[in-house]
Amino acid sequence: MILFTAIELSETAKCALCDVMENLRSIGVTGNYTRRENLHLTLAYIGESEDVENIIRVMNNICVQSFSLNLRGVGNFGDILWVGVEQSDVLINMAEELKRELRAVGFEIERRPFKPHITLVRKASGFCLDDILVPQVEMTVRKITLFHSHRVDGVLMYTPLYVREF
């Protein structure tokens, strides 16, 4: 199974991001748009693993607390277009602790610095970052989720396997 941990977005955040994607389409940005159901903020990409038990144990043992998450700005990693979030030490510390503890129990988690973002379009072309407006949206994060990434009839699905509420 392909696994990752993430923050699920509020309905308000998803609506705002869908509006941004609709605007991108209207100005001619092409690419593979993220489906509304798949919008999330990845904390740790785990990759191929069947060891759900150890991941859940790590999720339950890390120090977490609720915090505000604010959509803020846009950017890209090559042809991946994303929306960012306002700087949050709580978010950064939680993600880094999660990755560190997953590594400690044997998972090969990437070591590059955490860059919180929500992917909108993969293989994007025809965009200018200056043309993209992101509405101010604030949500409270009270849980993290372990997802299984898989395809059903060719459609990418992210199925929740476990939710840690706090």
Side-chain angles (χ1 to χ4, degrees):
M1 287 190 289
I2 297 174
L3 304 173
F4 66 94
T5 59
I7 293 170
E8 294 184 68
L9 302 177
S10 69
E11 287 305 311
T12 302
K14 286 182 180 183
C15 285
L17 293 170
C18 286
D19 288 347
V20 171
M21 289 189 287
E22 192 57 41
N23 183 54
L24 291 171
R25 283 185 179 97
S26 74
I27 61 173
V29 176
T30 60
N32 298 330
Y33 282 80
T34 301
R35 293 182 327 113
R36 175 191 176 87
E37 300 81 14
N38 289 353
L39 289 167
H40 68 278
L41 191 155
T42 300
L43 296 170
Y45 179 78
I46 297 159
E48 192 68 45
S49 179
E50 300 294 324
D51 192 1
V52 172
E53 187 176 308
N54 261 328
I55 299 166
I56 291 172
R57 188 169 51 77
V58 167
M59 289 172 68
N60 286 333
N61 287 336
I62 64 168
C63 180
V64 291
Q65 66 188 48
S66 64
F67 63 97
S68 291
L69 185 73
N70 300 290
L71 300 182
R72 190 79 68 228
V74 295
N76 65 296
F77 303 128
D79 64 358
I80 296 174
L81 186 57
W82 50 262
V83 166
V85 297
E86 195 170 88
Q87 172 66 33
S88 166
D89 291 340
V90 175
L91 171 61
I92 301 292
N93 292 339
M94 180 178 63
E96 292 299 339
E97 180 182 4
L98 180 60
K99 293 191 316 184
R100 184 175 56 252
E101 294 304 316
L102 286 167
R103 281 187 213 103
V105 296
F107 292 99
E108 293 184 24
I109 306 297
E110 66 184 6
R111 295 189 179 273
R112 65 182 166 177
F114 179 60
K115 175 74 173 173
H117 66 281
I118 302 156
T119 299
L120 299 182
V121 188
R122 289 176 177 79
K123 298 183 181 177
S125 64
F127 66 90
C128 173
L129 294 179
D130 294 336
D131 295 338
I132 305 169
L133 299 176
V134 177
Q136 291 189 348
V137 174
E138 180 178 340
M139 62 174 271
T140 301
V141 176
R142 293 187 175 98
K143 63 184 179 179
I144 57 175
T145 304
L146 172 63
F147 285 100
H148 171 213
S149 174
H150 56 108
R151 292 197 177 270
V152 176
D153 296 327
V155 176
L156 184 61
M157 307 284 286
Y158 298 148
T159 302
L161 298 179
Y162 178 74
V163 176
R164 160 88 192 273
E165 295 186 24
F166 43 89

